[in-house]
């Protein structure tokens, strides 16, 4: 009934504003919060990083090549300045302000302040996709962690100086997760040959695990009661749950590549954690902490961005926001519905298509995701965020270069 109530109160999702960046977008957006509210940070395919306020106004633009000389311009390759992944945001230097760190095809990793001024840059020498931030040595400052297509995984300090480097056996496009605590911290990331690596805080190898396909999705630490695991999605269609020693706890076959990290939450209030993720078989999956499927929701194309949980209708229960490359944003209830394929006990009395025996060979139905609302964004959705500021606002970035804010209306 909550879904029906939402439909009655809010007939649709409506666009509050649309900003055309003038360039294709290759990665999602991030949100920078401050005392004044929030702003959106978006990297573009032509090499800019944009800051946009909550009303859709561009605040500033940074471009790494903005100070190249005349001679350099003859050799300038625009394709190498584009950011490969969404910028990461955090207070890396302990000044109580948020900084922005991003990598590029050129191999440069750049840190900006919240005014768009460059603080430092580091040249890794090979394309960099995803940046992760975290204090791995307990010094009170965040380290900058990333891999490159040149097989190297780096830890930089808050000033952009190398702390250590680890060499993998293939290129790295995955982000990383920092699992565990204190001296037991593990830095876990995947690589293009399917190897998942775990390093200690000093960059020494703890263990490795081999998936059967490329790992693009950032690993996620999963804590459920006394059980802890590391979740890793792979191009081999599987979501793996690994123990902290690198052994396999379980794996789930989604039927398509998994390129975005899962979300872990108790979405139905049963006291157990659920794992929510999208796949390139067009489905969103909700599975149990033991790896069993609870329900799924099918879209019309691949799902390549993580789902977002937000209580958009104010009923004290999160909805699932889901973006698909079919151009649609979907709002789903956290509770599924049961869809009957046939009526149990009546198959021998009332013939139903595909069932000709008295004893059914399969379940009479299945749990499926319950859609509350959808919205056609007019382009492939590659970035999705939800911000709570005087109500919930849904933010989308599209491959065609547009960024939009949606509100319930």
């Amino acid at each position: 009934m909550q879904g029906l109530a939402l439909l009655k109160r809010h007939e649709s999702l409506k666009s509050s504003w649309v900003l055309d960046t003038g360039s294709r977008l290759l990665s999602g957006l991030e949100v920078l919060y401050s005392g004044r509210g929030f702003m959106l940070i978006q990297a573009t395919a032509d090499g800019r990083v944009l800051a946009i306020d909550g009303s859709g106004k561009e605040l500033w633009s940074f471009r790494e090549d903005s100070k190249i000389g005349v001679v350099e311009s003859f050799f300038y390759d625009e394709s190498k300045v584009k950011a490969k992944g969404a910028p990461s945001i955090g207070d890396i230097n302990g000044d109580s302000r948020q900084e922005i760190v991003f990598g590029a095809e050129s191999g440069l990793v750049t840190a900006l302040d919240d005014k768009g001024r460059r603080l430092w840059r580091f040249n890794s020498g090979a394309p960099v996709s995803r940046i992760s931030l975290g204090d791995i040595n307990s010094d009170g400052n965040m380290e900058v962690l990333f891999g490159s297509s040149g097989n190297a995984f780096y830890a930089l300090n808050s000033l952009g100086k190398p702390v250590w480097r680890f060499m993998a056996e293939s290129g790295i496009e995955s982000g990383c997760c920092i699992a565990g605590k204190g001296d037991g911290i593990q830095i876990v990331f995947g690589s293009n040959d399917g190897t998942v690596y775990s390093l200690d805080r000093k960059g020494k190898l703890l263990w490795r695990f081999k998936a059967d396909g490329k790992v693009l999705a950032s690993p996620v630490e999963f804590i459920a009661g006394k059980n802890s695991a590391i979740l890793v999605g792979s191009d081999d269609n599987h979501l793996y749950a690994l123990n902290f020693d690198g052994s396999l706890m379980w794996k789930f076959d989604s039927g398509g590549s998994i390129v975005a990290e899962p979300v872990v939450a108790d979405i139905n209030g049963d006291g157990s954690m659920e794992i929510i993720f999208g796949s390139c078989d067009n489905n969103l999956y909700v599975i149990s902490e033991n790896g069993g499927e609870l329900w799924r929701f099918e879209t019309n194309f691949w799902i390549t961005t993580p789902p977002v949980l937000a209580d958009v209708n104010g009923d004290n229960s999160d909805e699932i926001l889901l973006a698909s490359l079919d151009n649609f944003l979907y709002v789903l209830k956290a509770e599924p519905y049961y869809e009957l394929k046939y009526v149990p006990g009546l198959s021998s009395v009332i013939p139903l298509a595909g069932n000709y025996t008295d004893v059914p060979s399969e379940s009479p139905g299945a749990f499926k995701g319950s859609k509350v609302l959808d919205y056609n964004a007019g382009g492939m959705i590659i970035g999705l965020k939800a911000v709570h500021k005087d109500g919930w606002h849904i933010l989308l970035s599209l491959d065609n270069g547009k960024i939009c804010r949606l509100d319930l209306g």
Side-chain angles (χ1 to χ4, degrees), residues 65-393:
D65 67 304
S66 59
K67 294 184 179 180
I68 63 173
V70 175
V71 176
E72 290 174 291
S73 67
F74 287 109
F75 305 96
Y76 173 67
D77 183 353
E78 185 178 87
S79 68
K80 291 186 177 181
V81 302
K82 64 186 179 185
K84 291 194 69 178
S88 291
I89 295 172
D91 181 7
I92 63 174
N93 55 15
D95 65 353
S96 300
R97 301 180 72 90
Q98 301 289 296
E99 284 79 45
I100 302 147
V101 188
F102 62 96
E105 285 275 5
S106 64
L108 289 176
V109 175
T110 303
L112 309 177
D113 68 13
D114 59 4
K115 302 291 186 183
R117 298 171 296 202
R118 187 173 69 201
L119 299 174
W120 52 258
R121 67 180 176 183
F122 173 83
N123 192 350
S124 73
V128 174
S129 295
R130 302 190 186 189
I131 305 287
S132 301
L133 306 176
D135 183 5
I136 62 172
N137 55 14
S138 303
D139 65 351
N141 292 321
M142 288 187 176
E143 278 68 49
V144 178
L145 306 166
F146 61 92
S148 77
S149 296
N151 301 8
F153 187 90
Y154 294 88
L156 308 183
N157 66 18
S158 60
L159 300 176
K161 305 299 182 183
V163 178
W164 48 257
R165 184 183 72 167
F166 173 84
M167 293 303 298
E169 295 179 358
S170 70
I172 303 162
E173 296 179 68
S174 157
C176 76
C177 79
I178 301 171
K181 297 179 180 179
D183 292 337
I185 277 177
Q186 297 188 35
I187 301 159
V188 186
F189 61 92
S191 63
N192 291 351
D193 69 357
T195 302
V196 179
Y197 294 91
S198 174
L199 310 180
D200 69 14
R201 62 201 305 173
K202 296 182 179 179
K204 304 300 182 183
L205 180 67
L206 295 173
W207 52 260
R208 67 178 75 193
F209 174 87
K210 191 68 166 64
D212 293 327
K214 187 175 184 177
V215 176
L216 289 172
S218 299
V220 171
E221 183 180 14
F222 170 48
I223 300 174
K226 297 181 179 179
N227 297 320
S228 296
I230 297 166
L231 302 173
V232 182
S234 172
D235 195 44
D236 66 10
N237 302 353
H238 287 94
L239 181 71
Y240 295 90
L242 306 180
N243 293 302
F244 271 46
D245 62 0
S247 60
L248 179 66
M249 181 182 293
W250 51 257
K251 64 180 180 178
F252 177 87
D253 188 351
S254 73
S257 297
I258 302 169
V259 299
E261 55 269 25
V263 172
V264 179
D266 179 8
I267 60 172
N268 56 15
D270 65 353
S272 297
M273 304 299 281
E274 286 77 47
I275 301 164
I276 310 106
F277 66 97
S279 170
C280 289
D281 73 343
N282 307 349
N283 282 289
L284 173 86
Y285 289 91
V286 178
I287 65 176
S288 73
E289 58 190 43
N290 298 316
E293 182 176 335
L294 299 175
W295 55 270
R296 67 177 72 181
F297 176 82
E298 186 173 10
T299 70
N300 293 308
F301 204 19
W302 300 344
I303 301 169
T304 61
T305 59
V308 171
L309 304 180
D311 180 14
V312 295
N313 66 337
D315 65 352
N316 297 316
S317 178
D318 283 341
E319 283 72 48
I320 301 171
L321 308 182
L322 169 64
S324 170
L325 295 186
D326 66 6
N327 297 2
F328 275 85
L329 170 74
Y330 300 90
V331 180
L332 310 179
K333 294 174 64 176
E335 291 283 358
Y337 73 96
Y338 193 78
E339 181 179 81
L340 279 173
K341 298 177 184 176
Y342 59 87
V343 181
L346 296 182
S347 57
S348 60
V349 179
I350 304 174
L352 298 175
N355 187 15
Y356 302 101
T357 66
D358 291 335
V359 181
S361 61
E362 62 177 353
S363 169
F367 286 102
K368 293 189 176 183
S370 179
K371 182 180 71 174
V372 176
L373 293 171
D374 61 27
Y375 178 84
N376 187 344
M380 290 186 176
I381 304 171
I382 59 171
L384 167 64
K385 293 291 179 182
V387 176
H388 192 267
K389 180 70 173 176
D390 301 322
W392 281 100
H393 311 292

Side-chain angles (χ1 to χ4, degrees), residues 2-23:
Q2 291 173 356
L4 292 176
L6 177 59
L7 280 173
K8 290 177 181 178
R9 272 204 318 272
H10 305 288
E11 294 182 355
S12 63
L13 288 166
K14 296 183 179 180
S15 176
S16 295
W17 53 258
V18 177
L19 175 71
D20 192 339
T21 66
S23 170

